[in-house]
């Protein structure tokens, strides 16, 4: 008695033991044997862990304070070993195109051309006299210097310090081998005219910082809150001194600006420093992963000198943002 069986639909595979095919035999038989396919293993999709989202074991490490050991435990403070390189630095990780560099170079070239060929130069002997008086190379001869001019002279001496605190270490360039410190030193003598070429050559992101560098010169000085307090207090005093000057003194300074090459160049230098400061405040803020809390300081940084000085006072130190405190693992 024949029994008919109902075959459920199952995956059919060709048996590897097929008989030799004979072309002359028209009725070919192949043994089809059902096989149970092995279970498929589906791996969960791999997702790239972004630096901003952290990892399972620890928090993200901003700016990239590099440690000597891949994982270190000290007093309950851990440094995350699984962060990507893009979290090691601040600012724009993709760098920038050459259009910005070209525009900055054209700006710098135009300023240099204006300084040497187009600025007024009606009183060269008086400019030399003013320079000697400001450098204390000339004794008291009874002439009283303009208070606005004196304030401008001293505030220009503080701008290189402010830019050093903004550019070291978060404003360094890792895409080329051009260091920033020679330009900062030259800016003490040439002002923003000497610092603009570095802006042209700057390629973010900044390289990682060793923990030992934070405790050594000059980062320990530039990251110090004492330095920030002194620079901001000095700036407030200088600007207040100029603001209390009478209307006649401001009119006199404006006349100097129209006639003197020395005062004209120094005034434009102050404007350039003030114009570029908000960008470097933003760059330093994003490098320290402090944009969410400190973004309100960006509009304030538009205030010449006082805005960047206030940011330098309130910003978190690199040693604070580089290490996150998490529970200590039991030994």
């Amino acid at each position: 008695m024949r029994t008919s069986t109902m075959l459920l639909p199952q995956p059919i595979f060709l048996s590897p033991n097929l008989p030799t095919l004979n072309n002359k035999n028209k009725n070919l038989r192949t043994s089809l044997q059902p096989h149970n396919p092995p279970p498929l293993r589906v791996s969960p999709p791999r997702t790239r862990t972004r630096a901003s989202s952290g990892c399972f074991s620890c928090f993200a490490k901003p700016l990239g304070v590099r440690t000597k050991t891949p994982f270190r435990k000290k007093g309950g403070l851990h440094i995350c070993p699984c962060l990507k390189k893009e979290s090691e630095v601040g600012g724009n990780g993709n760098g920038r195109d050459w259009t910005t560099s070209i525009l900055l170079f054209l700006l710098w070239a135009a300023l240099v051309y204006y300084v040497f060929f187009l600025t007024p130069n009606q009183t060269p002997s008086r400019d030399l006299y003013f320079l000697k008086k400001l450098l204390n190379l000339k004794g008291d001869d009874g002439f009283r210097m303009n208070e606005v001019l004196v304030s401008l002279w001293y505030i220009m001496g503080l701008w290189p310090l402010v830019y050093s605190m903004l550019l070291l270490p978060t404003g360094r360039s890792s895409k080329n081998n051009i260091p920033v410190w020679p330009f900062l030193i030259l800016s003490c003598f040439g002002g923003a005219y000497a610092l603009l070429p570095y802006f042209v050559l700057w390629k973010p992101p900044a390289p990682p910082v060793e923990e030992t560098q934070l405790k050594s010169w000059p980062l320990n000085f530039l990251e110090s809150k004492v330095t920030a307090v002194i620079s901001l207090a000095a700036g407030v005093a200088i600007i207040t001194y100029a603001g209390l000057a009478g209307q006649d003194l401001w009119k006199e300074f404006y006349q100097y600006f129209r006639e003197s090459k020395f005062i004209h160049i120094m005034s434009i230098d102050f404007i350039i420093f003030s114009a570029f400061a908000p960008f470097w405040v933003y760059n330093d803020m994003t490098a320290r992963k402090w944009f969410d809390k400190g973004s309100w300081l960006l509009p304030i940084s538009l205030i010449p000198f006082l805005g960047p000085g206030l940011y330098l006072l309130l910003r978190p130190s690199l040693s604070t943002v580089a290490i996150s405190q998490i529970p200590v693992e039991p030994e």
Side-chain angles (χ1 to χ4, degrees):
M1 181 178 181
R2 293 184 180 179
T3 60
S4 60
T5 61
M6 180 179 296
L7 294 178
L8 296 177
Q10 294 183 358
I12 305 299
F13 297 90
L14 292 176
S15 174
N17 300 321
L18 295 175
T20 305
L21 297 177
N22 189 359
N23 295 331
K24 296 181 180 180
N25 190 2
K26 296 182 180 180
N27 299 324
L28 298 179
R29 289 187 177 180
T30 58
S31 62
L32 300 178
Q33 300 178 358
H35 292 269
N36 294 325
L40 297 177
R41 295 181 179 179
V42 181
S43 300
R46 296 182 179 179
T47 57
R48 296 183 57 185
T49 303
R50 298 188 61 86
S52 60
S53 62
C55 57
F56 293 104
S57 61
C58 51
F59 298 99
K61 178 177 64 176
L63 180 66
V65 178
R66 181 180 293 174
T67 56
K68 295 182 179 180
T69 58
F71 190 88
R72 191 178 68 179
K73 180 174 68 176
K74 182 179 179 180
L77 299 180
H78 296 261
I79 297 178
C80 178
C82 57
L83 299 176
K84 301 295 182 183
K85 187 176 181 180
E86 59 190 59
S87 68
E88 295 177 348
V89 291
N92 186 4
N94 297 327
R96 61 176 184 181
D97 55 12
W98 282 102
T99 305
T100 307
S101 298
I102 293 174
L103 292 176
L104 287 174
F105 174 78
L106 293 176
L107 173 64
W108 175 74
L111 287 171
V112 171
Y113 180 82
Y114 180 81
V115 164
F116 281 99
F117 300 105
L118 300 179
T119 50
N121 191 19
Q122 301 177 13
T123 58
S125 58
R126 189 178 64 184
D127 289 352
L128 183 60
Y129 173 79
F130 283 167
L131 184 60
K132 289 181 179 180
K133 289 284 288 185
L134 292 171
L135 292 174
N136 295 322
L137 298 178
K138 208 169 187 62
D140 187 9
D141 54 1
F143 178 78
R144 182 179 176 86
M145 291 289 294
N146 184 282
E147 282 84 350
V148 181
L149 174 59
V150 174
S151 301
L152 179 63
W153 171 262
Y154 284 110
I155 203 74
M156 292 306 299
L158 292 177
W159 267 122
L161 175 61
V162 170
Y163 268 82
S164 297
M165 298 173 72
L166 289 174
L167 295 177
L168 288 174
T170 59
R172 295 180 301 165
S173 180
S174 63
K175 299 294 184 179
N176 49 44
N177 296 324
I178 299 177
V180 63
W181 62 264
F183 297 91
L184 292 172
I185 294 177
L186 290 176
S187 67
C188 298
F189 308 97
Y193 306 103
L195 197 56
L196 272 175
Y198 177 76
F199 298 169
V200 175
L201 301 172
W202 176 65
K203 290 294 181 182
V209 184
E210 299 289 345
E211 282 187 284
T212 55
Q213 292 178 318
L214 298 177
K215 301 178 181 180
S216 60
W217 174 267
L219 290 185
N220 58 349
F221 172 76
L222 298 176
E223 289 288 322
S224 173
K225 294 300 180 182
V226 177
T227 307
V229 170
I230 293 176
S231 61
L232 180 59
V236 170
I238 294 172
I239 293 176
T240 303
Y241 179 73
L244 294 177
Q247 184 178 1
D248 294 337
L249 293 175
W250 278 96
K251 290 181 178 179
E252 183 184 45
F253 176 79
Y254 177 70
Q255 189 66 27
Y256 289 159
F257 176 79
R258 296 180 59 184
E259 299 174 351
S260 169
K261 189 181 189 72
F262 166 62
I263 299 176
H264 195 93
I265 293 175
M266 186 166 55
S267 301
I268 296 178
D269 194 11
F270 177 81
I271 295 175
I272 298 173
F273 271 134
S274 303
F276 280 93
F279 168 77
W280 293 109
V281 168
Y282 169 77
N283 179 76
D284 187 79
M285 184 183 299
T286 54
R288 297 169 189 267
K289 310 299 181 186
W290 200 55
F291 181 79
D292 294 338
K293 297 181 179 180
S295 58
W296 62 274
L297 286 169
L298 287 178
I300 299 178
S301 65
L302 297 173
I303 303 175
F305 192 86
L306 298 181
L310 180 63
Y311 165 76
L312 293 174
L313 178 62
L314 299 179
R315 69 178 181 178
S317 62
L318 289 177
S319 58
T320 302
V321 300
I323 301 177
S324 302
Q325 184 171 358
I326 60 175
V328 183
E329 292 182 356
E331 295 183 0

